Amino acid sequence: MEHNDRDAAHGGIRRGADEGAGTDSTQTFGHDSDLSFIPFGSDLSEAEIDAIGALPSRAALLLVRSGPTAGARYLLDADVATIGRHPEADIFFDDVTVSRRHAEITRTGGFFELVDQRSLNGSYVNGERVDRAVLDDGAEVRIGKFRLNFFVSPADRDAAAGS
């Protein structure tokens, strides 16, 4: 397999002192072979529906739908959340398809926006590569090989629908 040959040629994936050598070890990811946009939503578990329903106003939730940490949930309740392979990222994805500082999700008022941080593999919202995009309720976000869904607080969704 090509992927294993590449890993073997580089001595495998190492962490710690080897990684801080000043070069980014992000590997490119074949997005072209898996760019299908398949909306999620109807297959949420009861626990996920409850977690979304319990969100306070001005908060949102990212659910990892596929990738090495499928099923993980990340609460977005700050004005900026960093996403990346750096261990200090707010949302830490330990995978070579994710850049150390891959993207940020910013909150301005009641709106959340994904901002790519010039990552090697890019950031995708609803199947489109973006530098910056407002996240709508239910949007699919792709960071490296991770596919996530974004959900806003029902209180904010209801308020937006009423305006």
Side-chain angles (χ1 to χ4, degrees), residues 126-141:
N126 295 333
E128 301 277 326
R129 187 170 179 154
V130 298
D131 290 326
R132 172 182 292 263
V134 171
L135 296 174
D136 294 322
D137 189 48
E140 180 190 284
V141 175

Side-chain angles (χ1 to χ4, degrees), residues 95-154:
D95 189 84
V96 295
T97 61
V98 177
S99 295
R100 290 168 69 80
R101 286 185 33 83
H102 198 102
E104 291 180 347
I105 295 181
T106 61
R107 177 179 67 186
T108 307
F111 296 96
F112 289 84
E113 190 172 34
L114 180 82
V115 183
D116 186 77
Q117 299 295 303
R118 295 196 260 172
S119 63
L120 179 63
N121 287 317
S123 299
Y124 293 76
V125 175
N126 295 333
E128 301 277 326
R129 187 170 179 154
V130 298
D131 290 326
R132 172 182 292 263
V134 171
L135 296 174
D136 294 322
D137 189 48
E140 180 190 284
V141 175
R142 186 182 299 237
I143 303 290
K145 66 171 62 168
F146 295 83
R147 289 176 67 181
L148 310 101
N149 274 123
F150 171 85
F151 295 98
V152 297
S153 165

